[in-house]
Short mmCIF file of all heavy atoms in Angstrom, two decimals:
data_model
loop_
_atom_site.label_atom_id
_atom_site.label_comp_id
_atom_site.label_asym_id
_atom_site.label_seq_id
_atom_site.Cartn_x
_atom_site.Cartn_y
_atom_site.Cartn_z
N GLY A 36 154.77 79.36 106.79
CA GLY A 36 156.13 78.89 107.13
C GLY A 36 156.25 78.39 108.49
O GLY A 36 155.32 78.59 109.28
N VAL A 37 157.36 77.91 108.84
CA VAL A 37 157.63 77.42 110.18
C VAL A 37 157.88 78.64 111.08
O VAL A 37 158.71 79.47 110.71
CB VAL A 37 158.83 76.45 110.20
CG1 VAL A 37 159.22 76.08 111.63
CG2 VAL A 37 158.60 75.23 109.38
N ARG A 38 157.21 78.71 112.20
CA ARG A 38 157.49 79.75 113.19
C ARG A 38 158.74 79.44 113.94
O ARG A 38 159.09 78.25 114.13
CB ARG A 38 156.31 79.90 114.12
CG ARG A 38 154.98 80.22 113.46
CD ARG A 38 153.90 80.36 114.43
NE ARG A 38 153.87 79.35 115.50
CZ ARG A 38 153.23 79.43 116.55
NH1 ARG A 38 152.41 80.42 116.84
NH2 ARG A 38 153.27 78.45 117.49
N ASP A 39 159.45 80.52 114.34
CA ASP A 39 160.69 80.28 115.14
C ASP A 39 160.49 79.39 116.30
O ASP A 39 161.30 78.52 116.57
CB ASP A 39 161.22 81.65 115.62
CG ASP A 39 161.81 82.49 114.49
OD1 ASP A 39 162.20 81.96 113.48
OD2 ASP A 39 162.03 83.68 114.75
N ALA A 40 159.40 79.56 117.02
CA ALA A 40 159.16 78.79 118.25
C ALA A 40 159.10 77.31 117.94
O ALA A 40 159.35 76.43 118.75
CB ALA A 40 157.96 79.23 119.01
N ASP A 41 158.64 76.98 116.66
CA ASP A 41 158.45 75.54 116.31
C ASP A 41 159.79 74.82 116.23
O ASP A 41 159.83 73.57 116.27
CB ASP A 41 157.71 75.42 115.01
CG ASP A 41 156.25 75.92 115.07
OD1 ASP A 41 155.72 75.95 116.23
OD2 ASP A 41 155.70 76.33 114.09
N VAL A 42 160.89 75.48 116.02
CA VAL A 42 162.20 74.84 115.91
C VAL A 42 162.83 74.54 117.24
O VAL A 42 163.93 73.88 117.33
CB VAL A 42 163.21 75.58 114.99
CG1 VAL A 42 162.59 75.85 113.63
CG2 VAL A 42 163.63 76.89 115.71
N LEU A 43 162.25 75.01 118.38
CA LEU A 43 162.81 74.86 119.66
C LEU A 43 162.28 73.60 120.32
O LEU A 43 161.13 73.17 120.08
CB LEU A 43 162.44 76.06 120.54
CG LEU A 43 162.86 77.48 119.97
CD1 LEU A 43 162.39 78.53 120.95
CD2 LEU A 43 164.31 77.51 119.72
N THR A 44 163.09 73.06 121.25
CA THR A 44 162.70 71.91 122.05
C THR A 44 161.67 72.41 123.11
O THR A 44 161.60 73.55 123.40
CB THR A 44 163.87 71.23 122.75
OG1 THR A 44 164.39 72.15 123.71
CG2 THR A 44 164.91 70.86 121.77
N LYS A 45 161.01 71.40 123.72
CA LYS A 45 160.06 71.79 124.72
C LYS A 45 160.77 72.44 125.88
O LYS A 45 160.26 73.48 126.45
CB LYS A 45 159.38 70.49 125.26
CG LYS A 45 158.45 70.73 126.42
CD LYS A 45 157.89 69.42 126.94
CE LYS A 45 157.10 69.62 128.21
NZ LYS A 45 156.94 68.53 129.03
N GLU A 46 161.93 72.01 126.24
CA GLU A 46 162.68 72.59 127.34
C GLU A 46 163.13 74.03 127.02
O GLU A 46 163.14 74.87 127.88
CB GLU A 46 163.95 71.71 127.63
CG GLU A 46 163.67 70.38 128.18
CD GLU A 46 163.27 69.33 127.17
OE1 GLU A 46 163.34 69.57 125.95
OE2 GLU A 46 162.90 68.17 127.57
N GLN A 47 163.48 74.25 125.78
CA GLN A 47 163.90 75.59 125.34
C GLN A 47 162.68 76.54 125.36
O GLN A 47 162.79 77.64 125.80
CB GLN A 47 164.51 75.58 123.96
CG GLN A 47 165.86 74.91 123.92
CD GLN A 47 166.34 74.63 122.52
OE1 GLN A 47 165.50 74.51 121.58
NE2 GLN A 47 167.62 74.44 122.33
N ARG A 48 161.54 76.03 124.99
CA ARG A 48 160.32 76.83 124.96
C ARG A 48 159.94 77.22 126.35
O ARG A 48 159.42 78.36 126.59
CB ARG A 48 159.17 76.19 124.20
CG ARG A 48 159.33 76.13 122.68
CD ARG A 48 158.09 75.72 121.94
NE ARG A 48 157.58 74.42 122.33
CZ ARG A 48 157.93 73.26 121.81
NH1 ARG A 48 158.75 73.22 120.78
NH2 ARG A 48 157.40 72.18 122.27
N VAL A 49 160.04 76.33 127.31
CA VAL A 49 159.73 76.65 128.75
C VAL A 49 160.54 77.84 129.17
O VAL A 49 159.97 78.78 129.76
CB VAL A 49 159.97 75.42 129.65
CG1 VAL A 49 159.98 75.78 131.09
CG2 VAL A 49 158.93 74.36 129.35
N LEU A 50 161.84 77.83 128.92
CA LEU A 50 162.67 78.96 129.36
C LEU A 50 162.27 80.21 128.62
O LEU A 50 162.18 81.31 129.19
CB LEU A 50 164.18 78.65 129.06
CG LEU A 50 164.81 77.67 129.99
CD1 LEU A 50 166.19 77.31 129.49
CD2 LEU A 50 164.93 78.28 131.41
N MET A 51 162.06 80.12 127.27
CA MET A 51 161.74 81.34 126.50
C MET A 51 160.37 81.94 126.91
O MET A 51 160.28 83.10 126.92
CB MET A 51 161.83 81.01 125.04
CG MET A 51 163.16 80.70 124.49
SD MET A 51 164.45 81.85 124.90
CE MET A 51 163.89 83.27 123.91
N ARG A 52 159.48 81.07 127.21
CA ARG A 52 158.16 81.61 127.70
C ARG A 52 158.37 82.43 128.94
O ARG A 52 157.77 83.46 129.09
CB ARG A 52 157.23 80.41 127.90
CG ARG A 52 155.76 80.73 127.78
CD ARG A 52 154.82 79.53 127.77
NE ARG A 52 155.33 78.27 128.19
CZ ARG A 52 155.57 77.22 127.36
NH1 ARG A 52 155.45 77.37 126.02
NH2 ARG A 52 156.04 76.07 127.80
N SER A 53 159.17 81.91 129.88
CA SER A 53 159.41 82.69 131.16
C SER A 53 160.17 84.01 130.84
O SER A 53 159.77 85.04 131.38
CB SER A 53 160.25 81.82 132.06
OG SER A 53 159.54 80.76 132.52
N LEU A 54 161.14 83.95 129.98
CA LEU A 54 161.95 85.16 129.64
C LEU A 54 160.97 86.18 128.96
O LEU A 54 161.04 87.40 129.18
CB LEU A 54 163.11 84.83 128.77
CG LEU A 54 164.20 83.96 129.43
CD1 LEU A 54 165.28 83.64 128.44
CD2 LEU A 54 164.78 84.73 130.62
N ALA A 55 160.16 85.68 128.04
CA ALA A 55 159.23 86.56 127.32
C ALA A 55 158.24 87.20 128.33
O ALA A 55 157.77 88.31 127.99
CB ALA A 55 158.55 85.78 126.23
N GLY A 56 157.95 86.52 129.39
CA GLY A 56 157.06 87.05 130.36
C GLY A 56 157.70 88.03 131.34
O GLY A 56 157.05 88.49 132.25
N GLY A 57 159.01 88.18 131.21
CA GLY A 57 159.71 89.17 132.07
C GLY A 57 160.61 88.57 133.12
O GLY A 57 161.20 89.35 133.91
N ALA A 58 160.69 87.29 133.13
CA ALA A 58 161.51 86.63 134.20
C ALA A 58 163.01 86.87 133.81
O ALA A 58 163.37 86.99 132.65
CB ALA A 58 161.26 85.17 134.26
N SER A 59 163.85 86.91 134.83
CA SER A 59 165.30 86.88 134.65
C SER A 59 165.75 85.49 134.30
O SER A 59 164.94 84.54 134.41
CB SER A 59 166.05 87.31 135.90
OG SER A 59 165.91 86.31 136.93
N ILE A 60 167.02 85.38 133.80
CA ILE A 60 167.42 84.01 133.47
C ILE A 60 167.46 83.13 134.73
O ILE A 60 167.02 81.98 134.68
CB ILE A 60 168.87 84.10 132.81
CG1 ILE A 60 168.76 84.77 131.46
CG2 ILE A 60 169.41 82.65 132.66
CD1 ILE A 60 170.09 85.02 130.78
N ALA A 61 167.89 83.69 135.88
CA ALA A 61 167.86 82.93 137.11
C ALA A 61 166.43 82.49 137.45
O ALA A 61 166.22 81.33 137.89
CB ALA A 61 168.51 83.74 138.21
N GLU A 62 165.46 83.38 137.31
CA GLU A 62 164.08 83.08 137.63
C GLU A 62 163.56 82.02 136.67
O GLU A 62 162.85 81.11 137.05
CB GLU A 62 163.21 84.32 137.55
CG GLU A 62 163.51 85.29 138.67
CD GLU A 62 162.91 86.67 138.46
OE1 GLU A 62 162.62 87.05 137.30
OE2 GLU A 62 162.72 87.40 139.41
N ALA A 63 163.88 82.17 135.37
CA ALA A 63 163.44 81.22 134.34
C ALA A 63 164.00 79.87 134.65
O ALA A 63 163.30 78.83 134.55
CB ALA A 63 163.82 81.69 132.95
N ALA A 64 165.26 79.80 135.08
CA ALA A 64 165.92 78.53 135.38
C ALA A 64 165.19 77.87 136.62
O ALA A 64 164.89 76.68 136.54
CB ALA A 64 167.36 78.73 135.77
N ALA A 65 164.83 78.68 137.58
CA ALA A 65 164.16 78.10 138.77
C ALA A 65 162.77 77.57 138.39
O ALA A 65 162.39 76.45 138.82
CB ALA A 65 164.09 79.13 139.89
N LEU A 66 162.06 78.34 137.55
CA LEU A 66 160.73 77.94 137.09
C LEU A 66 160.85 76.65 136.27
O LEU A 66 159.88 75.80 136.30
CB LEU A 66 160.07 79.02 136.32
CG LEU A 66 159.63 80.28 137.10
CD1 LEU A 66 159.28 81.39 136.16
CD2 LEU A 66 158.48 79.91 137.99
N ALA A 67 161.92 76.46 135.55
CA ALA A 67 162.07 75.29 134.69
C ALA A 67 162.70 74.09 135.49
O ALA A 67 162.91 73.05 134.95
CB ALA A 67 162.90 75.61 133.47
N ASN A 68 163.07 74.42 136.72
CA ASN A 68 163.70 73.40 137.60
C ASN A 68 164.97 72.87 137.02
O ASN A 68 165.27 71.67 137.01
CB ASN A 68 162.72 72.23 137.84
CG ASN A 68 163.13 71.45 139.11
OD1 ASN A 68 163.69 72.04 140.02
ND2 ASN A 68 162.84 70.15 139.11
N VAL A 69 165.84 73.85 136.49
CA VAL A 69 167.15 73.52 136.01
C VAL A 69 168.13 74.43 136.58
O VAL A 69 167.76 75.53 137.11
CB VAL A 69 167.21 73.60 134.40
CG1 VAL A 69 166.29 72.54 133.79
CG2 VAL A 69 166.91 74.97 133.88
N SER A 70 169.42 74.13 136.48
CA SER A 70 170.46 75.04 137.05
C SER A 70 170.60 76.25 136.14
O SER A 70 170.23 76.23 134.95
CB SER A 70 171.80 74.24 137.12
OG SER A 70 172.30 74.08 135.85
N ARG A 71 171.23 77.32 136.69
CA ARG A 71 171.48 78.46 135.88
C ARG A 71 172.39 78.07 134.68
O ARG A 71 172.21 78.58 133.60
CB ARG A 71 172.10 79.54 136.80
CG ARG A 71 172.70 80.76 136.02
CD ARG A 71 171.62 81.53 135.34
NE ARG A 71 172.22 82.55 134.44
CZ ARG A 71 172.28 83.80 134.66
NH1 ARG A 71 171.78 84.30 135.77
NH2 ARG A 71 172.80 84.59 133.78
N ARG A 72 173.35 77.22 134.93
CA ARG A 72 174.29 76.85 133.89
C ARG A 72 173.53 76.10 132.74
O ARG A 72 173.76 76.38 131.57
CB ARG A 72 175.30 75.87 134.47
CG ARG A 72 176.37 75.50 133.54
CD ARG A 72 177.47 74.73 134.17
NE ARG A 72 178.44 74.25 133.18
CZ ARG A 72 179.44 73.48 133.49
NH1 ARG A 72 179.63 73.08 134.72
NH2 ARG A 72 180.26 73.10 132.53
N THR A 73 172.57 75.23 133.11
CA THR A 73 171.76 74.54 132.08
C THR A 73 170.90 75.54 131.32
O THR A 73 170.81 75.53 130.08
CB THR A 73 170.91 73.45 132.74
OG1 THR A 73 171.74 72.49 133.27
CG2 THR A 73 169.94 72.85 131.72
N ALA A 74 170.32 76.50 132.04
CA ALA A 74 169.51 77.56 131.40
C ALA A 74 170.39 78.32 130.46
O ALA A 74 169.98 78.62 129.33
CB ALA A 74 168.91 78.48 132.49
N ASP A 75 171.57 78.76 130.86
CA ASP A 75 172.45 79.56 130.01
C ASP A 75 172.75 78.72 128.74
O ASP A 75 172.73 79.28 127.66
CB ASP A 75 173.78 79.83 130.74
CG ASP A 75 173.65 80.93 131.77
OD1 ASP A 75 172.71 81.74 131.66
OD2 ASP A 75 174.51 81.05 132.59
N ARG A 76 173.03 77.40 128.86
CA ARG A 76 173.37 76.61 127.70
C ARG A 76 172.16 76.49 126.81
O ARG A 76 172.31 76.66 125.58
CB ARG A 76 173.77 75.21 128.17
CG ARG A 76 174.35 74.38 127.03
CD ARG A 76 174.86 73.05 127.49
NE ARG A 76 173.75 72.15 127.88
CZ ARG A 76 173.53 71.75 129.16
NH1 ARG A 76 174.33 72.13 130.10
NH2 ARG A 76 172.50 71.00 129.42
N ARG A 77 170.97 76.29 127.32
CA ARG A 77 169.80 76.15 126.50
C ARG A 77 169.46 77.50 125.75
O ARG A 77 169.07 77.50 124.64
CB ARG A 77 168.60 75.68 127.29
CG ARG A 77 168.70 74.27 127.73
CD ARG A 77 167.52 73.80 128.49
NE ARG A 77 167.65 72.43 128.91
CZ ARG A 77 166.96 71.79 129.76
NH1 ARG A 77 165.99 72.42 130.38
NH2 ARG A 77 167.20 70.53 130.11
N ILE A 78 169.72 78.59 126.44
CA ILE A 78 169.44 79.86 125.84
C ILE A 78 170.42 80.14 124.71
O ILE A 78 170.06 80.73 123.69
CB ILE A 78 169.41 80.98 126.96
CG1 ILE A 78 168.17 80.79 127.83
CG2 ILE A 78 169.38 82.37 126.27
CD1 ILE A 78 168.26 81.60 129.11
N ALA A 79 171.65 79.76 124.93
CA ALA A 79 172.65 79.85 123.89
C ALA A 79 172.21 79.07 122.62
O ALA A 79 172.38 79.45 121.48
CB ALA A 79 174.06 79.39 124.37
N GLU A 80 171.70 77.83 122.87
CA GLU A 80 171.16 77.03 121.79
C GLU A 80 170.02 77.70 121.08
O GLU A 80 169.89 77.70 119.85
CB GLU A 80 170.75 75.67 122.30
CG GLU A 80 171.83 74.80 122.86
CD GLU A 80 171.37 73.61 123.68
OE1 GLU A 80 170.21 73.53 124.01
OE2 GLU A 80 172.23 72.78 124.05
N VAL A 81 169.12 78.37 121.84
CA VAL A 81 168.05 79.08 121.29
C VAL A 81 168.54 80.29 120.37
O VAL A 81 168.07 80.49 119.28
CB VAL A 81 167.09 79.67 122.37
CG1 VAL A 81 166.07 80.64 121.80
CG2 VAL A 81 166.36 78.51 123.08
N ARG A 82 169.53 80.95 120.92
CA ARG A 82 170.11 82.10 120.10
C ARG A 82 170.59 81.59 118.79
O ARG A 82 170.34 82.16 117.73
CB ARG A 82 171.25 82.82 120.85
CG ARG A 82 170.69 83.70 122.06
CD ARG A 82 171.75 84.73 122.50
NE ARG A 82 173.10 84.11 122.66
CZ ARG A 82 173.52 83.68 123.81
NH1 ARG A 82 172.79 83.69 124.92
NH2 ARG A 82 174.73 83.15 123.91
N ARG A 83 171.30 80.49 118.80
CA ARG A 83 171.82 79.89 117.56
C ARG A 83 170.70 79.45 116.60
O ARG A 83 170.72 79.78 115.41
CB ARG A 83 172.75 78.74 117.81
CG ARG A 83 174.15 79.18 118.24
CD ARG A 83 175.14 77.95 118.24
NE ARG A 83 174.76 76.94 119.21
CZ ARG A 83 175.15 76.93 120.47
NH1 ARG A 83 175.81 77.99 120.99
NH2 ARG A 83 174.79 75.97 121.28
N ALA A 84 169.68 78.79 117.18
CA ALA A 84 168.57 78.28 116.41
C ALA A 84 167.77 79.41 115.76
O ALA A 84 167.29 79.28 114.63
CB ALA A 84 167.62 77.44 117.34
N LEU A 85 167.64 80.55 116.47
CA LEU A 85 166.88 81.69 115.96
C LEU A 85 167.75 82.75 115.24
O LEU A 85 167.21 83.70 114.75
CB LEU A 85 166.13 82.38 117.11
CG LEU A 85 165.15 81.49 117.90
CD1 LEU A 85 164.45 82.32 118.92
CD2 LEU A 85 164.18 80.77 117.01
N GLY A 86 169.10 82.49 115.15
CA GLY A 86 169.92 83.42 114.53
C GLY A 86 170.02 84.76 115.25
O GLY A 86 170.24 85.78 114.67
N ALA A 87 169.87 84.73 116.53
CA ALA A 87 169.87 85.94 117.36
C ALA A 87 171.25 86.15 117.99
O ALA A 87 171.91 85.17 118.44
CB ALA A 87 168.89 85.88 118.49
N GLY A 88 171.72 87.42 117.98
CA GLY A 88 173.01 87.69 118.57
C GLY A 88 173.01 87.82 120.08
O GLY A 88 174.04 87.54 120.76
N THR A 89 171.88 88.17 120.58
CA THR A 89 171.75 88.39 122.04
C THR A 89 170.46 87.64 122.57
O THR A 89 169.64 87.29 121.80
CB THR A 89 171.67 89.83 122.42
OG1 THR A 89 170.37 90.37 121.91
CG2 THR A 89 172.83 90.64 121.87
N THR A 90 170.43 87.50 123.86
CA THR A 90 169.29 86.86 124.50
C THR A 90 168.09 87.74 124.25
O THR A 90 166.95 87.28 123.94
CB THR A 90 169.51 86.62 125.98
OG1 THR A 90 170.60 85.70 126.16
CG2 THR A 90 168.25 86.01 126.67
N ALA A 91 168.25 89.09 124.36
CA ALA A 91 167.14 90.02 124.13
C ALA A 91 166.57 89.86 122.71
O ALA A 91 165.34 89.82 122.55
CB ALA A 91 167.57 91.42 124.35
N GLU A 92 167.46 89.70 121.72
CA GLU A 92 167.00 89.47 120.36
C GLU A 92 166.21 88.15 120.23
O GLU A 92 165.25 88.06 119.52
CB GLU A 92 168.18 89.47 119.35
CG GLU A 92 168.79 90.83 119.13
CD GLU A 92 170.04 90.71 118.32
OE1 GLU A 92 170.39 89.65 117.78
OE2 GLU A 92 170.73 91.75 118.18
N ALA A 93 166.73 87.08 120.90
CA ALA A 93 166.08 85.81 120.85
C ALA A 93 164.69 85.90 121.48
O ALA A 93 163.71 85.36 120.97
CB ALA A 93 166.93 84.81 121.59
N VAL A 94 164.59 86.68 122.63
CA VAL A 94 163.28 86.80 123.34
C VAL A 94 162.32 87.60 122.39
O VAL A 94 161.18 87.15 122.21
CB VAL A 94 163.44 87.50 124.66
CG1 VAL A 94 162.06 87.90 125.21
CG2 VAL A 94 164.20 86.63 125.64
N ALA A 95 162.79 88.61 121.74
CA ALA A 95 161.92 89.41 120.83
C ALA A 95 161.46 88.54 119.63
O ALA A 95 160.28 88.53 119.28
CB ALA A 95 162.74 90.60 120.30
N SER A 96 162.35 87.69 119.07
CA SER A 96 161.98 86.81 117.98
C SER A 96 160.99 85.80 118.49
O SER A 96 160.01 85.49 117.77
CB SER A 96 163.26 86.07 117.50
OG SER A 96 162.96 85.21 116.47
N TYR A 97 161.17 85.26 119.68
CA TYR A 97 160.28 84.24 120.27
C TYR A 97 158.88 84.89 120.44
O TYR A 97 157.87 84.32 120.06
CB TYR A 97 160.80 83.76 121.57
CG TYR A 97 159.89 82.81 122.27
CD1 TYR A 97 159.85 81.42 121.87
CD2 TYR A 97 158.97 83.19 123.23
CE1 TYR A 97 159.01 80.53 122.48
CE2 TYR A 97 158.11 82.29 123.83
CZ TYR A 97 158.15 80.95 123.48
OH TYR A 97 157.25 80.09 124.03
N ARG A 98 158.86 86.15 120.98
CA ARG A 98 157.53 86.81 121.16
C ARG A 98 156.85 86.95 119.86
O ARG A 98 155.65 86.75 119.79
CB ARG A 98 157.77 88.17 121.81
CG ARG A 98 158.00 88.20 123.29
CD ARG A 98 158.15 89.58 123.78
NE ARG A 98 158.41 89.58 125.22
CZ ARG A 98 159.31 90.38 125.78
NH1 ARG A 98 160.01 91.23 125.11
NH2 ARG A 98 159.47 90.32 127.08
N ARG A 99 157.56 87.43 118.84
CA ARG A 99 156.92 87.63 117.46
C ARG A 99 156.35 86.29 116.95
O ARG A 99 155.31 86.35 116.32
CB ARG A 99 157.94 88.21 116.46
CG ARG A 99 158.26 89.65 116.66
CD ARG A 99 159.05 90.24 115.51
NE ARG A 99 160.28 89.54 115.25
CZ ARG A 99 161.44 89.84 115.84
NH1 ARG A 99 161.50 90.82 116.71
NH2 ARG A 99 162.53 89.18 115.58
N SER A 100 157.08 85.29 117.19
CA SER A 100 156.64 83.97 116.56
C SER A 100 155.50 83.27 117.34
O SER A 100 154.91 82.34 116.85
CB SER A 100 157.85 83.03 116.49
OG SER A 100 158.25 82.53 117.76
N THR A 101 155.21 83.72 118.53
CA THR A 101 154.15 83.09 119.32
C THR A 101 152.89 83.93 119.47
O THR A 101 151.98 83.67 120.23
CB THR A 101 154.68 82.69 120.75
OG1 THR A 101 155.16 83.96 121.39
CG2 THR A 101 155.80 81.72 120.67
N ARG A 102 152.83 85.02 118.72
CA ARG A 102 151.66 85.86 118.70
C ARG A 102 150.50 85.21 118.09
O ARG A 102 150.60 84.42 117.10
CB ARG A 102 151.88 87.13 117.91
CG ARG A 102 152.67 88.21 118.78
CD ARG A 102 152.70 89.53 118.03
NE ARG A 102 153.67 90.38 118.76
CZ ARG A 102 154.38 91.24 118.15
NH1 ARG A 102 154.33 91.41 116.83
NH2 ARG A 102 155.17 92.01 118.85
#
């Protein structure tokens, strides 16, 4: 089947990779060269795409799908 990470945009995957590696949202935003507000919006989109209620759930789902 399709892995969760496959439904995300490149920009969303960049943020999720950083978060999965332990970065804070602010750190992930800086690494992705986007504002915190943009990062928050993209992470909200990821939560919806993955059916996750929280960012932590989205990160856990992302980690499982990229093993």
Side-chain angles (χ1 to χ4, degrees):
V37 174
R38 298 182 319 166
D39 285 344
D41 293 338
V42 303
L43 303 180
T44 67
K45 178 184 174 203
E46 293 82 5
Q47 291 167 338
R48 286 193 303 270
V49 166
L50 286 172
M51 294 307 293
R52 205 168 15 254
S53 294
L54 294 175
S59 68
I60 295 173
E62 291 166 339
L66 289 167
N68 201 31
V69 297
S70 71
R71 168 66 192 253
R72 185 173 175 186
T73 296
D75 285 339
R76 189 178 69 248
R77 288 181 182 165
I78 293 165
E80 292 165 354
V81 168
R82 286 197 313 267
R83 282 192 296 276
L85 301 183
T89 67
T90 299
E92 288 173 8
V94 170
S96 178
Y97 178 82
R98 282 184 181 136
R99 284 192 301 274
S100 72
T101 57
R102 280 189 190 147

